[in-house]
Amino acid sequence: MVEARDRFRSHLARRGLRYTAQRRLVTDATLRREGHYDADDLYEGLRAAGSEVSRATVYRTLGLLRDSGLIKEVLQCRGRASYEAVYGLEHHDHMLCVECGKVIEFRDDRIEELQRRICRRHGFRALEHRMGIRGICKQCAAAQKESGD
Amino acid sequence: MVEARDRFRSHLARRGLRYTAQRRLVTDATLRREGHYDADDLYEGLRAAGSEVSRATVYRTLGLLRDSGLIKEVLQCRGRASYEAVYGLEHHDHMLCVECGKVIEFRDDRIEELQRRICRRHGFRALEHRMGIRGICKQCAAAQKESGD
DNA sequence: CTTGCATTTGAGAATGAGTTTCAATAGCAA
DNA sequence: TTGCTATTGAAACTCATTCTCAAATGCAAG
């Protein structure tokens, strides 16, 4: 966590930006989170904890955190961008059940490797990649079958 | 094209919905398009061609077309949903250059196969999947190197 | 062809995530 | 301190998308 924080600080420093109290609050909040969250989750969480940060600052800081590679944007679900930690974690992808909204994470090294190979072939420098499979999860499929669809 | 149209008609019929003049206009417009387009592209195109369709109907019909599997939503770029044809085309994925906005399409059967296998393993019935790689394209990377980044 | 009922449509209002504005504030270097 | 730049918050704004609702239309059964 301290390491991640330092990484963000130097990202900011490198472009003449400041590591302010508000940015620290937002950063720490993202580092504490597990799984997915969106800007509003963070804002409400910070508010509830008595931290004074504006919505605008949360949005602005999330952008900076994304640029720094500490977090990344995942599934664009119901019009909201949601984020998750990147730093120090293995990459994984997502399956999203369109019925119940459940997110299943998975990881496949062979897919990762194939992606790298494709980028190399096109001279493309990947910053981030995401794979999302939208569909119906096991449980919802079973429920549908029962009610005769 | 006629085949695709029929597919959509029966999708509608199956759920007691009507294949109206407006829905036909929007459907044909999407079938004529190549590559990516968004709701507004279609609306403006239809308007320019003298067709009387409202924005609301374009949005509504795009949703139906997506549900029917004729088109699918791709890259969520700059807050706009964009679409492309699915029916009768091979699946492919996208690389998006965050500098110039260029979209590079690619296709890899091994990735497709791995995706299918993962879904099977999780009992997940995939409706659609998309893989997007965000990064810097060859040309933009070269341009950056020159200007000393 | 008429009647009845459900679906669809368009115009404009509403929604809501995200961004911008701008004046006040804070960080930092000299 | 001084001066400059970056940052902040509140509120206004943007803009894609969705919703509302009254009018119009499609279709099935008489």
Side-chain angles (χ1 to χ4, degrees):
Chain A
M1 171 135 165
V2 172
E3 198 185 331
R5 214 151 33 183
D6 288 346
R7 214 178 115 101
F8 184 47
R9 294 187 71 149
S10 61
H11 172 85
L12 292 175
R14 234 175 294 128
R15 40 211 90 196
L17 303 177
R18 293 167 191 162
Y19 186 65
T20 63
Q22 287 89 336
R23 286 181 181 160
R24 184 172 50 69
L25 284 169
V26 176
T27 305
D28 287 1
T30 67
L31 294 174
R32 258 181 272 117
R33 290 262 168 184
E34 289 179 16
H36 305 139
Y37 50 84
D38 61 39
D40 221 52
D41 290 339
L42 287 182
Y43 176 70
E44 295 300 344
L46 286 164
R47 270 320 172 92
S51 306
E52 298 254 322
V53 190
S54 71
R55 213 170 229 109
T57 296
V58 171
Y59 276 103
R60 288 191 274 236
T61 308
L62 279 173
L64 291 168
L65 286 164
R66 169 167 36 70
D67 295 346
S68 80
L70 233 61
I71 64 175
K72 70 172 174 181
E73 215 179 307
V74 281
L75 311 157
Q76 190 95 15
C77 187
R78 259 170 287 138
R80 285 182 172 200
S82 70
Y83 296 87
E84 71 178 14
V86 173
Y87 189 64
L89 296 180
E90 284 200 317
H91 175 75
H92 59 260
D93 294 302
H94 301 97
M95 286 190 260
L96 172 66
C97 177
V98 298
E99 288 297 328
C100 66
K102 182 168 57 190
V103 174
I104 302 168
E105 300 185 346
F106 66 89
R107 169 178 175 74
D108 190 306
D109 288 321
R110 286 164 302 178
I111 289 180
E112 304 293 312
E113 174 53 28
L114 287 168
Q115 285 176 344
R116 273 194 294 276
R117 218 181 286 173
I118 286 160
C119 287
R120 223 176 298 136
R121 198 185 310 145
H122 286 83
F124 195 84
R125 197 167 84 222
L127 292 172
E128 178 215 324
H129 64 266
R130 50 176 134 163
M131 195 176 111
I133 304 181
R134 284 164 31 100
I136 318 270
C137 75
K138 206 173 188 170
Q139 287 73 33
C140 289
Q144 282 186 0
K145 202 159 280 175
E146 263 175 41
S147 68
D149 181 34
Chain B
M1 169 137 164
V2 171
E3 196 186 332
R5 216 152 29 185
D6 289 346
R7 214 177 116 100
F8 185 46
R9 294 186 72 150
S10 61
H11 172 85
L12 292 176
R14 234 175 295 128
R15 40 211 91 197
L17 304 177
R18 294 168 190 161
Y19 186 64
T20 62
Q22 288 90 335
R23 286 182 180 161
R24 183 173 51 69
L25 284 168
V26 176
T27 305
D28 287 2
T30 66
L31 293 174
R32 260 181 270 117
R33 292 262 167 181
E34 290 179 15
H36 305 139
Y37 50 83
D38 59 41
D40 221 54
D41 291 339
L42 287 182
Y43 176 70
E44 295 298 343
L46 285 164
R47 271 318 171 93
S51 306
E52 298 254 322
V53 190
S54 72
R55 212 173 230 110
T57 296
V58 171
Y59 276 100
R60 288 191 274 235
T61 308
L62 279 173
L64 291 168
L65 286 164
R66 167 167 37 71
D67 294 346
S68 81
L70 236 60
I71 62 174
K72 70 172 176 183
E73 216 179 306
V74 282
L75 311 156
Q76 189 97 14
C77 187
R78 258 169 289 138
R80 286 183 171 200
S82 69
Y83 296 87
E84 71 178 13
V86 172
Y87 188 64
L89 296 179
E90 285 200 315
H91 175 76
H92 60 260
D93 293 301
H94 301 97
M95 287 190 257
L96 171 66
C97 177
V98 297
E99 287 297 327
C100 66
K102 183 167 58 189
V103 174
I104 302 168
E105 299 184 347
F106 66 89
R107 169 178 175 72
D108 191 305
D109 288 321
R110 286 164 302 180
I111 289 181
E112 304 293 313
E113 174 53 27
L114 287 169
Q115 285 177 345
R116 273 193 294 275
R117 216 180 289 171
I118 286 162
C119 287
R120 222 175 300 137
R121 197 184 311 146
H122 286 82
F124 196 84
R125 196 167 85 222
L127 293 172
E128 180 216 324
H129 63 266
R130 48 177 135 163
M131 194 176 111
I133 304 180
R134 284 164 31 98
I136 317 272
C137 75
K138 207 174 188 169
Q139 288 74 34
C140 289
Q144 282 186 0
K145 203 158 278 175
E146 264 176 38
S147 68
D149 180 35

